[in-house]
Amino acid sequence: MIQEILTYIIVFSATAYAVYKTVLFLTNANNNSCSGCGGQCSIKQELAQKKNIV
Amino acid sequence: MKLSQLKENEEGYITKIKGRGAFRKRITEMGFVKGERVVVVKSAPLRDPVEYFIMGYNVSLRRSEASLIEIITKEEIANLKEEKYNGILSDEEIKKTAKLKGKEIQVALVGNPNSGKTTLFNHASKSKEHVGNYSGVTIDSKLAQFKYGEYKINITDLPGTYSLSAYSPEELYVRKFILGELPDIVINVVDASNLQRNLLLSTQLIDMDIKVVIALNMYDELKKSGDTFDYDGLGKMIGIPIIPTVGSKGYGVRELFKKVIEVYEDRDPNVRHVHINHGQEVEKSIKKLQDCIWENKRLTDLVSSRFYAIKLLEKDSAAQFTLSKWKNWNEIEGIAKEEISRLEKLMLDDSETILTDAKYGFIAGALKETYKGNRKERVRLSDHIDRFLTNKYLGLPIFIFFMWFMFQVTFKLGNYPMAWIETAINWMGTQLDILMNPGPLKDLLINGVIDGVGGVIVFLPNILILFFFISVMEDTGYMARAAFIMDKIMHKIGLHGRSFIPLLMGFGCNVPAIMSTRTIENRNNRLVTILINPFMSCSARLPVYVLIISAFFPKYPGTVLFSIYLIGILLAALMAIIFKKTLFKSDEVPFVMELPPYRIPTLKSTLRHMWHKGEQYLKKMGGIILVASIIIWALGYFPRDVEYSKDYEGIISHLKEGKPNQEQAPLTQAQLNLNSSISKKIRTLEMQMKTEHQANSYIGRIGRTIEPVMRPLGFDWRMSVSILSGVAAKEIVVSTMGVLYQTNDQDKQMNEKLAQRLYDARYTYGPLKGKRVFNPLTAYSFLLFILIYFPCLATVVAIKNEAGHWKWAVFSVLYSTGLAWFVSFVVYQTGTLIGNLL
């Protein structure tokens, strides 16, 4: 029973995370700045740095 | 905030004076100095000028002038002091805060491509920007902030440029940044090993009359070559302090920023504005134009009239555009045309060439007095290596050999740590199997998380080794040679060598590679480079290649891997030819390709590059790969109540009842045989039940829906699902295979490598039932599909952003997936046909 509950929690959390990331990704896709490559490009770092300065 | 933003009766404290030359001097003399209180008295009826009260008297300034004075209000000071603020701010405290606020310096890094700007930037800001020994690494400006003593330094790394004309996007970008953002100090990074060419940009910065400090970078190379350079003398001569630095090792970086502060605070006695003498006739023309431009005071408060006059004589389109908005443009334009024609007739040359020649003359003169060259040996060494590596006949085979060698080592050397990681992952699985009771969570952890994430994480050593090689090739300068070698071939496919750099970068990740196409001026060439870039196998595809190759091509793994990369390059070339002949017809633009001297890469830089890549890979494991593995597992595990073709549970329990009881008495041989035969039957039934369940699960249904489309390529439904999941990120193909290709024998599952499980996988239904899913032909067809199909989502968005429209992203997705299907189909069907004939 506990195993089942934990499994459901993990699976739903993962799904929610995936949906959240997809929405975030699509929002970013439209603001013409970040492609959402997961930090592989330097732009993400640049944005983070800009944020720090502001 | 700016002084011009204050309303009537509001007050502020001066933190910084921007602007230049006469304006700066005049405004300071009027009492506008750091820490001084200024109050807005009133505005004129048309809101300009504005009367201000400062140092006990009233001064009137135009709004454009006031906008060059930065201030801080009492409220802002109170906010800054939130913790200590008790409602009262003493004058002394306010002045101190205003002065402190003025200690924030905006610094811009400019310099020639490959002069070491980014290395210097990284060192100063402790950042990890990518650095390579070829031009065009910086494709956008990058910002960082750090503290130096009580100063806060905001540093911007700008793209590399050879000059400040308006020919390339980088040049325009840098110019707009300097003129628009008005950085307090510009650090001009000069490559000490190539002074003459690097100093051309410095002469243009001198024309701009801004505060500059020169970082004489790679100074160690100059010293090593035996040259002597009196940089101090040159600095005094041109009125710009010069600080020797070695960006890669961090030498001189502290001194550089110390000097930046001194120049910012006007404490360096040697800083002055000099005029580069362009010769009597040119100077006459400049003066004539300047007189006219000076009438636009609001413009010349910001930008030097001499700079614009020179640019107009150079027929600079960006300068013409800026000045065309000012009132006496017609007059300025008339004089410019007249003077250009006079100079060209007089000197029988193009006006731009005349000015550039004059600048080079100035540089040559300055260097003659300060520089003594003894660089024959190093140049000879670089030349000597180049004679071999970029040889007309040997260049390409050597390049191909290096690539082949790189993949061979990636495979062979990577196998050892890979086996260690695999053992550790198997051990984890076994421990969980022993510790946990059967149930969904155990299944999720073992078959979902460990098989999914573990299946991908084993390839970390291969990724690190590949990046070690790429990093070494970039830092030594060999990559620039590779671009040089490929230049001729690139011309043959209608692109120029410059397009090769983004393609090379694509081996790492297609996203920054596509972004780096910004350095290509011609839009059609840029679009072609963007569209063919996904054929460069990015590092995310490497795990899929290594997995499939180690399972089906164990004899020649390096060669097969090399062939996949090579096919990617050839396909890119082929598509470029097709695109250039159909969609994007354009003329070639002449382009000079520079070859930086060979350098020994520092271990620190190589390791940092490797670690950066490894770090990203591990982050992906904990994020997208883990989430995808859980979701894929859940889609394969649910629903639990599928309809089976027979009552497996009933049959199994019936068989169990018929088993002789081992605990009662020692069993006879006949009973032992019966027991073993029943156990075997039960295992077979369990296997069939599990397979049938997986095929009827959610993921099975998805897979079987798309399977008919993929069947002509030799793919089963699990391969099809893996391909589908790889749309998010290519590594997910491996984690999905790890989850979907399970053996039904739990003991075997624990110890068997994913590669072995793929090898053993068989069809469980349909006409191919019982036959192996994979054979070398299917495997190769699968590898080709992974190479060519849908670039990952991040790449698609990058294509959209860089090409400026979704239609190109959609086009890229459709044509690449269509091409992947076609190529895999041809390879699989032709291979099968030949196999049948043989």
Side-chain angles (χ1 to χ4, degrees):
Chain A
M1 185 63 184
I2 294 172
Q3 276 214 22
E4 266 179 33
I5 294 169
L6 282 172
T7 309
Y8 279 117
I9 291 173
I10 294 171
V11 170
F12 282 121
S13 307
T15 314
Y17 179 79
V19 171
Y20 164 73
K21 277 284 180 188
T22 312
V23 172
L24 202 72
F25 172 75
L26 290 174
T27 329
N28 276 337
N30 282 330
N31 71 16
N32 211 20
S33 55
C34 178
S35 306
C37 66
Q40 296 223 41
C41 69
S42 57
I43 287 290
K44 191 168 176 181
Q45 202 174 6
E46 183 201 330
L47 287 176
Q49 281 159 354
K50 268 186 190 163
K51 210 174 163 189
N52 280 344
I53 288 170
V54 174
Chain B
M1 71 191 284
K2 291 168 183 168
L3 179 61
S4 57
Q5 289 171 299
L6 280 187
K7 292 187 185 120
E8 266 180 40
N9 298 321
E10 284 184 345
E11 62 176 52
Y13 293 82
I14 297 168
T15 57
K16 197 182 276 183
I17 309 286
K18 293 210 160 196
R20 47 167 295 284
F23 165 77
R24 223 178 128 86
K25 195 166 178 287
R26 183 167 54 91
I27 213 90
T28 316
E29 283 168 357
M30 283 161 105
F32 286 84
V33 287
K34 258 189 246 174
E36 209 48 56
R37 175 173 167 264
V38 56
V39 185
V40 183
V41 181
K42 61 174 182 286
S43 301
L46 291 168
R47 293 186 73 240
D48 217 358
V50 183
E51 197 177 327
Y52 295 98
F53 177 79
I54 188 165
M55 281 188 175
Y57 66 100
N58 289 7
V59 184
S60 142
L61 291 181
R62 287 194 307 267
R63 272 186 190 276
S64 59
E65 291 172 326
S67 69
L68 295 171
I69 300 170
E70 284 188 7
I71 53 132
I72 186 166
T73 61
K74 259 187 182 175
E75 291 73 30
E76 284 173 320
I77 296 172
N79 285 340
L80 284 174
K81 294 188 165 294
E82 221 170 329
E83 282 168 28
K84 290 182 202 162
Y85 183 54
N86 53 8
I88 302 162
L89 284 168
S90 68
D91 271 2
E92 202 182 321
E93 208 170 351
I94 290 170
K95 284 194 173 183
K96 209 174 132 194
T97 316
K99 278 184 181 167
L100 211 65
K101 184 84 179 119
K103 288 184 174 173
E104 196 171 325
I105 312 176
Q106 312 295 337
V107 176
L109 273 181
V110 301
N112 281 195
N114 203 33
S115 60
K117 280 188 318 305
T118 309
T119 316
L120 205 67
F121 173 83
N122 284 347
H123 221 283
S125 62
K126 308 272 182 288
S127 159
K128 290 174 192 164
E129 280 307 325
H130 174 56
V131 180
N133 190 6
Y134 51 75
S135 47
V137 168
T138 309
I139 46 170
D140 208 337
S141 64
K142 293 175 197 72
L143 277 165
Q145 193 181 56
F146 64 95
K147 285 215 107 183
Y148 186 97
E150 52 185 351
Y151 288 84
K152 199 196 267 178
I153 293 179
N154 296 327
I155 185 166
T156 310
D157 182 21
L158 294 168
T161 53
Y162 293 110
S163 81
L164 294 174
S165 50
Y167 285 121
S168 72
E170 301 103 308
E171 287 172 354
L172 264 179
Y173 188 94
V174 172
R175 204 161 112 178
K176 272 187 190 163
F177 186 91
I178 296 174
L179 299 180
E181 300 290 321
L182 299 176
D184 299 313
I185 304 285
V186 168
I187 295 180
N188 176 203
V189 185
V190 166
D191 176 0
S193 60
N194 199 341
L195 280 171
Q196 201 157 9
R197 200 197 56 203
N198 276 253
L199 286 172
L200 179 70
L201 182 64
S202 315
T203 57
Q204 290 173 331
L205 291 170
I206 290 174
D207 288 342
M208 282 180 140
D209 188 14
I210 48 173
K211 285 185 174 178
V212 180
V213 175
I214 290 179
L216 186 66
N217 204 23
M218 303 181 216
Y219 185 63
D220 53 340
E221 288 187 20
L222 184 133
K223 268 171 77 181
K224 219 185 286 169
S225 65
D227 297 0
T228 50
F229 179 39
D230 175 16
Y231 56 84
D232 220 26
L234 180 69
K236 280 176 189 155
M237 222 183 270
I238 60 173
I240 295 174
I242 301 178
I243 307 294
T245 56
V246 183
S248 57
K249 293 174 186 158
Y251 297 152
V253 177
R254 281 193 72 78
E255 289 74 15
L256 177 69
F257 285 96
K258 196 175 157 205
K259 186 54 79 181
V260 164
I261 291 165
E262 272 179 38
V263 173
Y264 172 72
E265 296 288 8
D266 296 320
R267 286 200 299 252
D268 189 311
N270 296 323
V271 172
R272 68 199 160 96
H273 175 55
V274 296
H275 281 187
I276 289 162
N277 190 354
H278 295 84
Q280 209 181 354
E281 293 303 325
V282 179
E283 286 299 325
K284 231 191 254 175
S285 303
I286 293 174
K287 179 79 180 59
K288 220 170 173 184
L289 273 167
Q290 255 184 304
D291 286 344
C292 212
I293 297 169
W294 264 329
E295 284 178 32
N296 305 296
K297 270 269 174 246
R298 277 192 293 148
L299 177 72
T300 53
D301 282 350
L302 290 169
V303 186
S304 155
S305 56
R306 187 176 166 82
F307 173 73
Y308 273 131
I310 292 169
K311 286 290 151 201
L312 284 178
L313 290 176
E314 286 174 356
K315 302 173 201 161
D316 183 286
S317 55
Q320 288 168 351
F321 179 74
T322 309
L323 287 164
S324 66
K325 293 175 194 158
W326 297 85
K327 59 179 182 192
N328 60 343
W329 166 239
N330 288 341
E331 192 189 345
I332 298 172
E333 194 187 20
I335 296 174
K337 277 184 182 164
E338 211 174 274
E339 290 305 310
I340 289 169
S341 142
R342 186 180 73 86
L343 289 175
E344 289 184 345
K345 270 186 200 155
L346 199 70
M347 300 187 184
L348 299 173
D349 212 339
D350 179 63
S351 64
E352 197 186 344
T353 316
I354 298 167
L355 280 139
T356 312
D357 282 350
K359 282 196 162 66
Y360 271 121
F362 172 84
I363 296 165
L367 288 180
K368 201 165 185 189
E369 284 184 46
T370 53
Y371 182 81
K372 265 191 193 143
N374 180 35
R375 297 174 49 243
K376 283 173 198 160
E377 211 173 298
R378 193 175 60 98
V379 172
R380 233 183 255 156
L381 186 69
S382 259
D383 283 350
H384 204 66
I385 302 171
D386 266 344
R387 227 168 273 160
F388 179 65
L389 290 184
T390 58
N391 181 283
K392 202 174 164 186
Y393 304 105
L394 289 174
L396 197 60
I398 290 173
F399 173 58
I400 292 173
F401 170 76
F402 275 146
M403 300 292 274
W404 175 83
F405 179 74
M406 176 171 85
F407 294 123
Q408 202 70 16
V409 176
T410 301
F411 236 104
K412 296 262 159 152
L413 211 64
N415 267 344
Y416 300 100
M418 202 171 148
W420 305 332
I421 301 175
E422 256 169 5
T423 313
I425 288 166
N426 287 342
W427 178 83
M428 272 170 70
T430 316
Q431 293 306 308
L432 271 180
D433 190 40
I434 296 165
L435 290 171
M436 288 181 78
N437 292 324
L441 188 62
K442 180 181 175 178
D443 204 293
L444 165 67
L445 292 178
I446 295 175
N447 296 330
V449 177
I450 293 185
D451 276 350
V453 178
V456 186
I457 213 164
V458 292
F459 300 106
L460 179 67
N462 303 83
I463 301 262
L464 292 180
I465 295 168
L466 184 71
F467 272 87
F468 170 80
F469 276 100
I470 290 181
S471 179
V472 167
M473 288 213 277
E474 282 176 351
D475 293 349
T476 48
Y478 184 69
M479 277 299 195
R481 265 78 188 173
F484 179 80
I485 295 163
M486 294 302 288
D487 189 44
K488 208 172 172 187
I489 298 169
M490 297 301 284
H491 276 287
K492 282 197 174 138
I493 63 170
L495 295 172
H496 55 58
R498 200 168 243 208
S499 294
F500 192 63
I501 299 292
L503 295 181
L504 278 177
M505 285 176 87
F507 285 135
C509 173
N510 294 136
V511 174
I514 285 169
M515 280 161 48
S516 73
T517 57
R518 284 178 203 176
T519 51
I520 302 165
E521 292 105 279
N522 183 296
R523 183 171 159 78
N524 277 358
N525 282 348
R526 211 181 142 202
L527 278 172
V528 173
T529 314
I530 288 173
L531 290 173
I532 62 171
N533 206 294
F535 294 132
M536 299 293 118
S537 283
C538 65
S539 59
R541 277 174 262 193
L542 185 68
V544 192
Y545 298 159
V546 177
L547 170 71
I548 301 290
I549 291 171
S550 57
F552 302 99
F553 306 97
K555 280 189 184 166
Y556 316 103
T559 312
V560 176
L561 184 63
F562 172 65
S563 76
I564 292 292
Y565 275 77
L566 195 67
I567 288 172
I569 297 170
L570 293 176
L571 262 180
L574 181 73
M575 290 316 293
I577 294 171
I578 295 172
F579 284 145
K580 287 294 282 187
K581 289 201 170 155
T582 54
L583 289 172
F584 310 103
K585 289 177 188 166
S586 67
D587 296 329
E588 276 186 44
V589 185
F591 164 68
V592 180
M593 201 144 222
E594 76 157 12
L595 294 177
Y598 283 103
R599 289 185 184 124
I600 296 170
T602 59
L603 187 67
K604 199 177 161 189
S605 151
T606 310
L607 291 181
R608 195 162 63 180
H609 194 174
M610 261 171 80
W611 170 240
H612 193 41
K613 200 74 212 166
E615 200 183 1
Q616 283 166 1
Y617 194 70
L618 288 173
K619 272 186 191 161
K620 260 188 165 180
M621 293 302 110
I624 187 166
I625 309 284
L626 175 67
V627 168
S629 299
I630 293 172
I631 294 173
I632 298 282
W633 171 86
L635 289 172
Y637 190 79
F638 296 107
R640 297 307 295 161
D641 54 344
V642 295
E643 254 186 58
Y644 292 106
S645 57
K646 47 186 155 185
D647 179 18
Y648 286 107
E649 279 173 5
I651 302 170
I652 290 169
S653 67
H654 182 73
L655 281 170
K656 278 181 182 167
E657 279 167 21
K659 272 173 97 176
N661 195 340
Q662 285 176 305
E663 286 164 12
Q664 278 178 356
L667 301 178
T668 62
Q669 189 55 43
Q671 282 175 315
L672 278 172
N673 288 346
L674 180 65
N675 211 350
S676 147
S677 141
I678 291 174
S679 298
K680 209 173 169 186
K681 270 186 189 165
I682 291 174
R683 268 212 301 275
T684 313
L685 281 167
E686 278 174 346
M687 194 191 315
Q688 284 173 355
M689 186 177 158
K690 204 172 172 185
T691 312
E692 212 173 301
H693 176 264
Q694 200 183 39
N696 287 303
S697 65
Y698 294 125
I699 202 138
R701 290 175 208 176
I702 297 170
R704 293 207 310 189
T705 311
I706 52 174
E707 194 186 10
V709 183
M710 307 306 258
R711 182 49 69 79
L713 318 181
F715 303 169
D716 77 335
W717 72 265
R718 287 170 289 191
M719 290 162 88
S720 311
V721 168
S722 305
I723 284 170
L724 196 65
S725 64
V727 161
K730 294 283 163 79
E731 297 98 330
I732 298 178
V733 172
V734 173
S735 61
T736 307
M737 288 184 131
V739 177
L740 294 182
Y741 286 94
Q742 306 274 337
T743 57
N744 297 286
D745 189 333
Q746 202 58 32
D747 294 335
K748 243 183 161 184
Q749 169 77 24
M750 289 293 108
N751 300 314
E752 210 166 65
K753 283 182 183 179
L754 177 56
Q756 188 60 42
R757 278 188 265 150
L758 294 183
Y759 189 80
D760 293 338
R762 286 173 192 275
Y763 283 98
T764 51
Y765 61 91
L768 297 169
K769 193 174 176 180
K771 285 194 174 171
R772 281 187 195 281
V773 173
F774 285 95
N775 57 38
L777 186 62
T778 330
Y780 204 75
S781 157
F782 185 69
L783 285 176
L784 288 175
F785 198 93
I786 296 291
L787 163 73
I788 311 166
Y789 91 116
F790 193 106
C792 71
L793 275 180
T795 307
V796 173
V797 174
I799 293 174
K800 180 249 156 188
N801 285 345
E802 295 305 316
H805 205 285
W806 273 112
K807 74 175 177 189
W808 292 117
V810 174
F811 175 72
S812 167
V813 168
L814 293 179
Y815 103 85
S816 61
T817 310
L819 187 68
W821 193 93
F822 177 73
V823 171
S824 296
F825 176 80
V826 169
V827 168
Y828 180 71
Q829 294 297 342
T830 316
T832 311
L833 202 69
I834 294 170
N836 290 341
L837 288 174
L838 294 174

